[in-house]
């Protein structure tokens, strides 16, 4: 009997308190809208690469891929300046048998796709070279193919920077939002 009376009293107080009603109904809808806004991002990744001293066949292979645009720079400093100005997503250069890659790393998906594009292009280029050698020296099957070394560096974060590292400011905003409502 007493429990029913207390329940009726709590329900009446909730209906009279507009802030509590707003917190119960409007805040979750607002939060769901914000989450929808965050998670409904485009899944198409367009990548802009800057290259310097790469073999033309490798540049052609990368440029032929979907959603990839490649610009060749004669000077490595100009390419790195374009990276700093956020005009390109990565700078790829070739020196002394090594590929040097500098990622902007502003978007983890662009960094991982760029890494995959480079590795795929190098593997494809190596396969084509191997086939050419086999055709030239079919009787002497002594082929030694060494894959080039890739050295990577990042402008922002590191190779472990992911989606949730980018969401931390948004999540902190949610926490502050709720504490303001709870305190007031």
């Amino acid at each position: 009997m007493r429990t029913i009376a207390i329940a009726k009293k709590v329900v009446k107080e909730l209906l009279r308190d507009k802030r509590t009603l707003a917190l119960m109904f409007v805040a979750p809808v607002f939060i769901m809208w914000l989450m929808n806004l965050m998670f409904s991002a485009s899944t198409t990744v367009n990548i802009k690469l800057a290259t310097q001293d790469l073999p033309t066949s490798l540049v052609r292979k990368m440029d032929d891929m979907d959603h990839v645009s490649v610009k060749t720079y004669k000077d490595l400093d100009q390419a790195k300046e374009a990276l700093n100005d956020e005009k390109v997503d990565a700078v790829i250069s070739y020196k002394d048998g090594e590929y040097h890659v500098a990622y902007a790393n502003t978007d983890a998906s662009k960094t991982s796709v760029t890494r995959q594009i480079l590795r795929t292009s190098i593997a494809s280029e190596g396969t084509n070279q191997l086939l050419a050698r086999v055709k030239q020296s079919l009787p002497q099957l002594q082929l030694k193919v060494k894959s080039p070394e890739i050295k990577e560096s990042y402008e922002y974060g590191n190779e472990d920077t992911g989606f949730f590292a980018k969401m931390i400011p948004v999540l902190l905003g949610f926490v502050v939002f709720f504490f303001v409502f709870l305190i007031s």
Side-chain angles (χ1 to χ4, degrees):
M1 206 54 139
R2 188 175 169 116
T3 308
I4 294 173
I6 292 173
K8 284 182 183 179
K9 181 182 176 189
V10 169
V11 169
K12 283 181 184 178
E13 287 177 3
L14 282 176
L15 292 175
R16 289 181 185 157
D17 189 7
K18 305 298 182 208
R19 288 183 294 176
T20 304
L21 283 175
L23 185 60
M24 287 174 54
F25 295 107
V26 176
V29 171
F30 179 69
I31 290 171
M32 294 305 286
W33 176 75
L34 285 177
M35 295 290 265
N36 180 39
L37 192 66
M38 282 188 332
F39 291 118
S40 65
S42 174
T43 57
T44 303
V45 178
N46 294 317
I47 298 173
K48 297 176 188 171
L49 299 176
T51 62
Q52 196 261 335
D53 284 342
L54 289 183
T56 55
S57 59
L58 187 67
V59 172
R60 208 174 310 117
K61 282 182 198 303
M62 287 191 286
D63 204 19
D64 287 343
M65 294 183 181
D66 292 337
H67 307 290
V68 177
S69 61
V70 179
K71 184 172 181 184
T72 303
Y73 288 85
K74 291 184 180 182
D75 185 26
L76 185 59
D77 292 330
Q78 287 178 343
K80 288 194 176 187
E81 187 176 318
L83 181 68
N84 290 335
D85 294 340
E86 297 182 9
K87 293 179 182 174
V88 295
D89 299 310
V91 174
I92 305 170
S93 61
Y94 184 74
K95 185 177 181 183
D96 299 329
E98 293 180 340
Y99 290 94
H100 296 270
V101 184
Y103 301 104
N105 207 27
T106 55
D107 186 352
S109 61
K110 287 185 178 186
T111 302
S112 63
V113 170
T114 301
R115 185 180 295 123
Q116 187 62 37
I117 287 170
L118 179 61
R119 291 174 195 259
T120 303
S121 300
I122 291 172
S124 174
E125 183 70 19
T127 303
N128 290 343
Q129 289 176 356
L130 181 65
L131 286 174
R133 288 179 188 170
V134 167
K135 287 179 182 177
Q136 284 179 350
S137 60
L138 191 58
Q140 314 155 341
L141 293 171
Q142 297 176 352
L143 299 174
K144 294 181 181 178
V145 178
K146 181 183 174 187
S147 63
E149 187 176 334
I150 300 172
K151 294 193 176 186
E152 301 173 332
S153 62
Y154 300 88
E155 287 291 315
Y156 303 105
N158 59 19
E159 66 180 283
D160 297 326
T161 303
F163 177 71
F164 285 104
K166 303 239 182 239
M167 282 186 47
I168 287 175
V170 175
L171 295 175
L172 286 174
F174 283 140
V175 170
V176 170
F177 177 77
F178 278 117
F179 276 113
V180 167
F181 269 109
L182 291 175
I183 291 171
S184 65

